[in-house]
Amino acid sequence: MLEVAGLNAWYGEAQALHEVSVRVGEGEVVTLVGRNGAGKTTLVRCLIGLHRQVSGTVSFLGSDVTRTPAHRRARAGMGWVQDDRGIYASLSVEENLLLPPRVSDRAWTLKQVYEAFPLLADRRKAPGTTLSGGEQQMLAIARVLRTGARLLLMDEPSEGLAPVVVARIGAIIREIKATGVGVLLIEQNVKFAATVADRHYLLSQGHIVETLDNSDFQRREGELLKHLGI
Amino acid sequence: MNAVLQYAVQGLAAGSFYALAALGLAIIFGVLGVVNFAHGAFYMLGAVTAAVLLDTLDLTLWWSLLVVPVLMFAFGVVVERLLVQWLLRLDPLYNFLLTFGLTLVLVELVKQKYGVSGLPYKPPKLLSGRVDLAGVVLPRYQLFVFLFSVAICVLVWLVMTRTRVGMIVRASTEKPDLARALGINVGRWVTPVFGFGVALAGLAGVLAAPFRAITADMGNNFAIILFAVVVIGGLGSIVGAVVAGFMVGLVEAFGQAYAPTYAQILIFVLMALIILVRPAGLFGRKEATA
Ligand SMILES: Nc1ncnc2c1ncn2[C@@H]1O[C@H](COP(=O)(O)OP(=O)(O)OP(=O)(O)O)[C@@H](O)[C@H]1O
Ligand SMILES: [Mg+2]
């Protein structure tokens, strides 16, 4: 559903991505691993349409969206879970959930969201940022699920969270994968990545240096950890 | 006691003009990121339009309260489409140059057409004179201005907190990029929001018409104080704009009553003190650091 070919991205004169090609299929979970500053966040910002200084092509569900504005990409079915979670302080938990429009008939109802995430139901009237870090991450994920997005772009959802919360996120990812949603997951947590993904891209200084299936990835875990400098 | 109440009502009436105009300024800044230095001129245009409507078409204040905001909304839409939209991608310096330049043009045009002597304006009979509230005699018009503008502020607050439009405005104010990435067409809201902010400034002008000298220059001093209001309340905060608007009106009225030479300085002393204690203003949010 997502095909990225020969994507270059710049910040002014500095090139942050070089000829990046990435593919995510329906019901496929693909991770993007790489050290700090490798260009992972830049890549997802290019995909959702917030970073515009690019060349190359991004196509989504068969159409070229390279020049499409961000809000239309979202309406076409891309769901972004931002690296800082992107929860609105000036919106209540429920308003955070209701803000994005529904984009497909697989959209969850509020009721479904609250059944899956009871803690959000308890805090529905509270300002979004009064939730704990883990709860905010759940809210960010629930928000894109409610839209019925067909491709999730998740930027380090496990970062800074307790192991039980990370495990919960893993379970959610496997659940949505089963419904045919594609996921591009940015991860520094290699162990976690191996529990949810089908394939992995290794990004280094803006270049995709390796594409690995999950068994290779697990076999070479030690080497990868070294590369990531963890 | 009676005198204190008189000054309080006078201050709240003057504060009403600041509150309404600052509310418009805050909403515009929130969604467009543009500090509209022409806001004082829009306030002046509101008052002048009301005076002209009364003079030529015999439209009373009641009608002007309805018609002028609509006209000013339309004018705001034209200004946004012709001029302001080009600012959104530019350095903030151009924001100042354009909106300040627009002020000069509007003020000069009004001077050319209506001179500098000031247009007359009489409030409707119903609002003239004084009202006796349990022994306290207060000017009817000032009470009306205060109650009317509180009603408008509450209405705007309800729209901002209870409707989907308000939710989109809040989201676009706080994190515009995220709102777009979540499927909100933020650009579509820019023009109506600007028009709405201009309409509020115009409405403040209509309310001020029977109360102030209607001249081309009436917005100049108003704009200076308006910026103190916005700094005190916190740039972009709508609650802050309203609270600070009434606060500044009160300071101004009591200042004029007890220390007329210092009345205006007092406002800026208040502003300086508040910046010292809370740099982001009373209700301003600190910029996220991460
Ligand atoms: N707004 C910006 N202006 C200029 N350079 C930037 C900007 N944002 C990121 N960069 C640079 O682009 C490169 C890639 O940054 P990016 O944030 O995409 O990395 P990342 O892989 O997401 O890192 P992290 O693991 O820390 O989140 C870095 O060298 C960074 O310094
Ligand atoms: Mg990042």
Side-chain angles (χ1 to χ4, degrees), chain A residues 75 87-90 95 99, chain B residues 164 170 174-175 178-179 183:
Chain A
R75 282 167 186 252
I87 299 306
Y88 285 102
S90 56
E95 287 175 326
L99 177 70
Chain B
R164 179 154 182 89
R170 277 179 287 146
E174 188 182 334
K175 294 178 177 141
L178 178 62

Side-chain angles (χ1 to χ4, degrees), chain A residues 169-184:
Chain A
I169 292 173
I172 295 167
I173 292 175
R174 278 186 292 271
E175 228 172 274
I176 52 189
K177 169 188 164 66
T179 67
V181 171
V183 179
L184 180 64

Side-chain angles (χ1 to χ4, degrees), chain B residues 42-55:
Chain B
F42 294 142
Y43 159 84
M44 176 273 292
L45 277 185
V48 168
T49 309
V52 170
L53 287 178
L54 181 67
D55 184 44

Side-chain angles (χ1 to χ4, degrees), chain B:
Chain B
M1 188 56 205
N2 208 327
V4 171
L5 270 176
Q6 304 255 359
Y7 297 138
V9 169
Q10 193 185 329
L12 291 173
S16 301
F17 312 144
Y18 298 134
L20 287 177
L23 185 57
L25 203 62
I27 295 175
I28 290 175
F29 177 75
V31 174
L32 283 78
V34 166
V35 180
N36 177 27
F37 289 90
H39 225 57
F42 294 142
Y43 159 84
M44 176 273 292
L45 277 185
V48 168
T49 309
V52 170
L53 287 178
L54 181 67
D55 184 44
T56 57
L57 299 176
D58 225 9
L59 286 187
T60 61
L61 182 90
W62 302 112
W63 279 105
S64 279
L65 287 175
L66 197 71
V67 173
V68 175
V70 173
L71 293 175
M72 292 301 292
F73 178 89
F75 183 64
V77 165
V78 172
V79 168
E80 198 282 332
R81 285 289 85 198
L82 282 182
L83 301 169
V84 174
Q85 65 156 318
W86 308 108
L87 291 175
L88 302 183
R89 276 174 225 91
L90 296 177
D91 187 279
L93 176 64
Y94 292 95
N95 162 358
F96 173 77
L97 288 176
L98 182 111
T99 54
F100 190 69
L102 180 62
T103 303
L104 298 179
V105 171
L106 292 174
V107 169
E108 275 320 301
L109 284 176
V110 171
K111 255 184 211 161
Q112 295 291 325
K113 187 98 179 50
Y114 301 106
V116 289
S117 54
L119 303 164
Y121 200 89
K122 272 219 173 70
K125 281 227 167 49
L126 194 60
L127 297 176
S128 314
R130 295 175 168 265
V131 38
D132 189 338
L133 293 172
V136 185
V137 180
L138 295 169
R140 226 181 230 140
Y141 189 69
Q142 292 179 5
L143 276 176
F144 165 75
V145 165
F146 174 59
L147 294 176
F148 184 85
S149 56
V150 166
I152 297 288
C153 290
V154 169
L155 203 67
V156 172
W157 181 80
L158 285 175
V159 169
M160 290 294 290
T161 54
R162 301 290 154 85
T163 67
R164 179 154 182 89
V165 174
M167 188 163 98
I168 289 172
V169 168
R170 277 179 287 146
S172 315
T173 299
E174 188 182 334
K175 294 178 177 141
D177 273 356
L178 178 62
R180 295 194 294 127
L182 291 175
I184 307 293
N185 186 356
V186 174
R188 205 179 75 187
W189 294 97
V190 162
T191 309
V193 160
F194 191 82
F196 182 69
V198 172
L200 280 177
L203 182 62
V206 177
L207 286 171
F211 196 62
R212 297 264 191 262
I214 305 172
T215 68
D217 286 319
M218 71 186 285
N220 301 0
N221 198 41
F222 183 81
I224 294 170
I225 300 195
L226 197 56
F227 282 99
V229 170
V230 166
V231 171
I232 290 170
L235 195 57
S237 158
I238 64 162
V239 176
V242 171
V243 171
F246 286 114
M247 225 166 96
V248 165
L250 286 171
V251 170
E252 192 180 58
F254 282 100
Q256 269 158 8
Y258 296 110
T261 25
Y262 301 107
Q264 194 145 352
I265 297 175
L266 268 177
I267 293 168
F268 290 94
V269 171
L270 176 72
M271 180 181 97
L273 287 176
I274 283 172
I275 302 179
L276 276 178
V277 185
R278 286 184 65 94
L282 288 179
F283 293 84
R285 252 183 252 283
K286 279 209 199 82
E287 293 285 303
T289 40

Side-chain angles (χ1 to χ4, degrees), chain A residues 147-206:
Chain A
T147 67
R150 319 211 13 205
L151 172 72
L152 302 194
L153 306 168
M154 305 176 87
D155 199 343
E156 305 206 40
S158 72
E159 195 191 8
L161 299 181
V164 289
V165 185
V166 176
R168 176 88 174 91
I169 292 173
I172 295 167
I173 292 175
R174 278 186 292 271
E175 228 172 274
I176 52 189
K177 169 188 164 66
T179 67
V181 171
V183 179
L184 180 64
L185 175 69
I186 294 184
E187 260 313 325
Q188 302 244 40
N189 182 340
V190 172
K191 282 212 158 49
F192 172 60
T195 65
V196 291
D198 303 302
R199 285 188 299 120
H200 307 266
Y201 292 101
L202 184 57
L203 187 69
S204 175
Q205 297 181 2

